[in-house]
Amino acid sequence: MLLSSAILLIYILFAGVSTFGYGVIFSNYIIDDKKLNLGLIGILGFFLLFFISLFLHFFISLNIYLNLGLLFIGLIVGLKNIRLFKIVQKFKFYFITLILVFLLSAFSSQTYADYEWYHLPYVNYLNSFKIIFGLVNISNNYVYGHGWLDIMGIFNLPVINTKGLTALPIVFYFYFIIFFLLEFYKNKVIFLKIISLFIILVSFLIFNRLKDFGADIQPTFTLFIFIFLIIKYYFYNNDPFILKLIILLFFYSCVLRIGSVVILPLFLIFFTINIKKYFLDILIKNFRLYAFLFTFFILFLSKNFITTGCFFYPIPFTCFNNNSIVWANPSENINERYELLSAISKRWKFYSIEEGSLENRYQYYNQIINNTIMSPEEYNSKKMYWLKYFFYDHDYHRFINIVLFALFFSLSLFFISSKNKYPSYTNQIGFNIKLILFGLLFSILFWFFNSPQMRYGGYPIIGTFIIILITNYLSKRKFEESKFLKLSNFFILVAFAFFGFKNIGSSTKDLNNNNFDNFPWPNISKKIENVDYYSEVYNGVKINFITKNDNSFSGSPRTCGNLSMPCLSSGRKVCISDLYIKSEYIFIINNNSKCLQQFKENYWQH
């Protein structure tokens, strides 16, 4: 137990230092700036690893020894630049406390909801095969372009293998918190200090359990930083370097998860107003960065095209029909998937359960046939009908938590401040803040009418909109520095303690109740051949078929889990019309009309 615990902690530290090393490489040779915020260096390290993962996977599988070599390079660079951490000496108590709390919070018996469903299988695919043409025909879930999964593939290492992957998001979280701690303590602008403090506290309030850390928090955190930098840009005299970071982080958030495009209205307003001033400076003086981003974008589109036949799956107008691209997903399947995802984001699951009097979400199909409930396409066509079910989602509670905490936060700051006749910023900055609020409002509307789920961009755009409104009012008040700092330190310590209590307490309880199958590693369901799955060989490629699926069994064997790829539900076998190998690449063809019907009957399986 002690040895395994030590291995997990060493793995997390190794991942953290290696990622930091790649962030140093990115800042020195691509951004060409050596004064980046320490937290942002770590976050950009993941960005560079994302690029490396994408590029290499076109040609080779990301096997564990290749991964070890890549991360070892980052480790060496990270250790050589460890002196950069001297910047945190002024608040080393928080820094050390944060490391200890985060490390101890990494022990969890549970994985997050989608891990065995498609995250772990996707990583196994990365580690066993180079890119597969028509991967979408195995499962839609493998091709949504969750960039975090491509990053995870590089962290499958010898000895530990995939057992530590669910702890990896805590490294990203650590750098995110470090970013805002540094911004809070180094900034002299009270407006920025309040925003930084709020984001730190609300992140601990909303994202406080490791088992909930999937592929959603990374783009969410990136959007928080993106919005913060737009605010900072105006307080720092329209610094062109900050403008460059804003463009970079917008791109980063979108390739991590395409749902981050909800921030587009704010970005377009900001970009249109400011780019004319610095166009040549940004473009010419930062050629390496924009060449990198352009190359990244081409790789991103190419990967999507190869795996699905679409540039942005499952947006129909970006897709080619399988009559012209043989491995592409049939257009009727794409349209059905698009309608389903749109309906799900607008609470179709809750609608179908309530209106159809279903015991669980899997029983919907007969009710659609009997016209008791609407199909996803019919549901979407009703336009605003979905508002009736908006508050059925558990996201509603988190939204209320943000609002309530924002009120408590603002009242606390109000009582330690005093009246001040003048705001702490110029009229021009005040006008720019109104533009930011205007852009965020349009982003909220864009989010609300397209993908109204808090985890798909809702947290950062709604949370920052609320706190900017509050901070804009509070900035007209006068703060005594010592009182403000004492209250802020108290809030931060309570937030640390709350996060630690939720995670360390949960893992301790699991350990005492013998909930761990193999402490400290999270439990992964075990599959029994010819019971939970069976195997078949297609042209030399072994495929595992899960025999228990979502619609007939709600337990863990319904997932592929850690079975070797390719892996899919047995019912989806009709979606593989042919499989062959050409030039060492696997091609999977789907031209069977029965696949669409199977999909309609098994929405939650895919």
Side-chain angles (χ1 to χ4, degrees):
M1 180 183 293
L2 290 176
L3 178 60
S4 296
S5 300
I7 290 173
L8 175 59
L9 295 178
I10 291 170
Y11 171 80
I12 296 170
L13 291 171
F14 174 75
V17 176
S18 180
T19 302
F20 178 75
Y22 274 100
V24 170
I25 294 171
F26 191 88
S27 62
N28 288 354
Y29 298 103
I30 299 177
I31 295 182
D32 194 24
D33 186 274
K34 300 180 180 179
K35 298 179 182 179
L36 274 181
N37 180 302
L38 192 72
L40 190 55
I41 290 176
I43 287 172
L44 291 177
F46 282 110
F47 185 46
L48 183 54
L49 285 169
F50 184 7
F51 174 85
I52 292 170
S53 173
L54 272 184
F55 176 76
L56 291 179
H57 195 235
F58 280 95
F59 310 104
I60 55 176
S61 63
L62 303 179
N63 68 76
I64 57 176
Y65 299 105
L66 171 66
N67 293 344
L68 181 62
L70 290 171
L71 293 180
F72 192 71
I73 293 171
L75 178 70
I76 294 172
V77 177
L79 290 174
K80 286 182 66 176
N81 289 272
I82 207 75
R83 66 186 185 281
L84 295 177
F85 280 87
K86 290 181 180 178
I87 199 170
V88 300
Q89 285 184 345
K90 291 183 179 179
F91 61 102
K92 59 184 178 182
F93 170 77
Y94 290 116
F95 181 71
I96 295 171
T97 303
L98 187 65
I99 290 178
L100 289 175
V101 169
F102 272 35
L103 285 175
L104 293 175
S105 297
F107 299 88
S108 177
S109 66
Q110 301 178 51
T111 62
Y112 50 83
D114 296 332
Y115 184 68
E116 289 196 57
W117 189 11
Y118 64 95
H119 291 195
L120 180 56
Y122 185 85
V123 170
N124 287 334
Y125 148 66
L126 292 178
N127 299 148
S128 303
F129 303 92
K130 52 188 176 182
I131 196 165
I132 292 179
F133 287 73
L135 180 67
V136 65
N137 297 312
I138 295 179
S139 174
N140 294 275
N141 295 310
Y142 297 153
V143 294
Y144 284 143
H146 298 317
W148 182 248
L149 307 188
D150 290 289
I151 294 170
M152 284 171 61
I154 284 187
F155 288 88
N156 180 2
L157 302 176
V159 180
I160 195 169
N161 299 115
T162 58
K163 292 184 291 186
L165 293 181
T166 54
L168 192 60
I170 212 163
V171 178
F172 197 101
Y173 198 175
F174 170 79
Y175 283 120
F176 169 78
I177 296 297
I178 288 295
F179 173 86
F180 280 106
L181 278 176
L182 283 170
E183 292 293 338
F184 174 78
Y185 284 105
K186 291 183 66 180
N187 259 309
K188 301 299 182 184
V189 181
I190 189 67
F191 199 103
L192 296 176
K193 291 176 83 71
I194 293 174
I195 298 290
S196 300
L197 179 62
F198 176 81
I199 292 174
I200 291 170
L201 299 178
V202 83
S203 68
F204 279 124
L205 175 68
I206 301 299
F207 307 101
N208 51 50
R209 296 189 303 176
L210 180 62
K211 64 182 181 181
D212 293 335
F213 287 11
D216 302 322
I217 67 160
Q218 297 80 20
T220 295
F221 289 166
T222 307
L223 284 178
F224 269 120
I225 297 173
F226 164 80
I227 297 169
F228 175 82
L229 288 177
I230 288 181
I231 303 168
K232 184 177 180 179
Y233 173 78
Y234 290 119
F235 280 99
Y236 277 67
N237 300 317
N238 299 359
D239 186 347
F241 177 70
I242 298 178
L243 177 60
K244 178 170 61 175
L245 290 179
I246 290 168
I247 295 170
L248 168 61
L249 287 168
F250 172 74
F251 179 85
Y252 190 6
S253 64
C254 289
V255 294
L256 275 174
R257 189 174 192 126
I258 196 60
S260 300
V261 77
V262 294
I263 203 65
L264 184 62
L266 172 62
F267 177 73
L268 287 178
I269 292 172
F270 172 82
F271 186 79
T272 303
I273 292 172
N274 292 282
I275 194 61
K276 288 186 283 188
K277 303 175 188 175
Y278 303 110
F279 180 76
L280 290 177
D281 181 67
I282 286 288
L283 191 63
I284 296 173
K285 292 185 180 180
N286 299 283
F287 176 78
R288 277 180 291 181
L289 172 62
Y290 294 102
F292 174 84
L293 293 181
F294 177 76
T295 304
F296 200 131
F297 186 60
I298 296 300
L299 290 176
F300 181 77
L301 292 181
S302 300
K303 173 207 167 187
N304 291 341
F305 179 70
I306 289 173
T307 56
T308 69
C310 303
F311 290 117
F312 295 101
Y313 183 82
I315 302 175
F317 72 85
T318 71
C319 302
F320 292 82
N321 195 283
N322 63 345
N323 292 330
S324 54
I325 306 296
V326 293
W327 68 82
N329 205 19
S331 56
E332 58 271 20
N333 293 33
I334 295 169
N335 291 330
E336 187 69 24
R337 190 65 184 178
Y338 177 79
E339 294 291 347
L340 174 65
L341 292 180
S342 179
I344 289 174
S345 72
K346 296 173 181 175
R347 315 307 193 259
W348 181 79
K349 180 183 78 171
F350 302 100
Y351 152 78
S352 62
I353 290 174
E354 177 164 296
E355 297 298 325
S357 300
L358 309 182
E359 293 182 8
N360 59 60
R361 62 179 179 171
Y362 310 123
Q363 299 171 344
Y364 67 88
Y365 186 69
N366 288 335
Q367 302 294 65
I368 292 178
I369 297 300
N370 296 332
N371 294 317
T372 305
I373 61 174
M374 292 181 282
S375 69
E377 184 176 5
E378 292 169 329
Y379 183 78
N380 291 332
S381 69
K382 292 292 184 179
K383 302 302 180 184
M384 306 305 293
Y385 179 78
W386 62 272
L387 287 174
K388 178 181 178 182
Y389 302 93
F390 181 76
F391 290 109
Y392 282 50
D393 195 298
H394 70 277
D395 273 355
Y396 158 71
H397 300 290
R398 290 183 172 181
F399 171 76
I400 295 299
N401 286 342
I402 290 177
V403 174
L404 292 177
F405 177 74
L407 290 174
F408 170 74
F409 180 76
S410 59
L411 286 173
S412 300
L413 293 179
F414 178 84
F415 285 124
I416 66 162
S417 61
S418 57
K419 290 183 179 180
N420 188 9
K421 292 183 179 180
Y422 306 102
S424 59
Y425 50 74
T426 65
N427 290 335
Q428 182 59 47
I429 291 178
F431 174 75
N432 291 329
I433 289 171
K434 290 177 182 176
L435 280 178
I436 294 171
L437 288 169
F438 184 70
L440 281 172
L441 181 60
F442 269 89
S443 291
I444 291 170
L445 292 173
F446 185 35
W447 165 83
F448 187 75
F449 290 108
N450 285 277
S451 184
Q453 291 179 295
M454 291 297 288
R455 63 193 183 119
Y456 297 152
Y459 294 120
I461 59 176
I462 294 174
T464 52
F465 180 80
I466 292 171
I467 196 57
I468 291 171
L469 281 175
I470 291 171
T471 307
N472 198 38
Y473 169 75
L474 289 173
S475 63
K476 298 175 184 178
R477 298 183 64 82
K478 186 177 180 180
F479 289 87
E480 185 180 325
E481 185 176 351
S482 61
K483 286 184 180 179
F484 177 74
L485 193 59
K486 286 179 182 178
L487 180 65
S488 300
N489 288 338
F490 172 75
F491 275 146
I492 292 171
L493 283 173
V494 170
F496 282 2
F498 177 70
F499 180 85
F501 174 78
K502 292 282 286 190
N503 287 279
I504 299 170
S506 177
S507 59
T508 301
K509 183 178 178 181
D510 283 345
L511 183 60
N512 291 336
N513 293 335
N514 297 315
N515 291 337
F516 280 93
D517 291 340
N518 182 24
F519 184 84
W521 314 115
N523 301 334
I524 303 295
S525 60
K526 296 178 174 62
K527 307 292 189 295
I528 302 173
E529 190 168 9
N530 297 322
V531 175
D532 299 315
Y533 75 99
Y534 67 91
S535 304
E536 291 184 1
V537 177
Y538 287 65
N539 290 329
V541 178
K542 179 184 176 182
I543 301 181
N544 289 315
F545 293 96
I546 300 295
T547 54
K548 295 177 180 177
N549 60 47
D550 272 338
N551 294 19
S552 61
F553 187 83
S554 60
S556 57
R558 65 186 172 86
T559 63
C560 284
N562 207 24
L563 287 177
S564 60
M565 286 286 280
C567 176
L568 63 156
S569 167
S570 58
R572 195 169 164 80
K573 187 176 179 179
V574 296
C575 299
I576 301 179
S577 303
D578 191 15
L579 183 152
Y580 60 87
I581 300 174
K582 184 177 181 180
S583 300
E584 299 183 350
Y585 287 93
I586 295 175
F587 289 76
I588 300 173
I589 313 301
N590 175 14
N591 51 30
N592 189 344
S593 60
K594 293 180 180 179
C595 179
L596 176 61
Q597 183 59 34
Q598 199 274 340
F599 176 33
K600 289 182 176 181
E601 295 176 9
N602 300 272
Y603 281 146
W604 305 106
Q605 177 193 98
H606 290 243

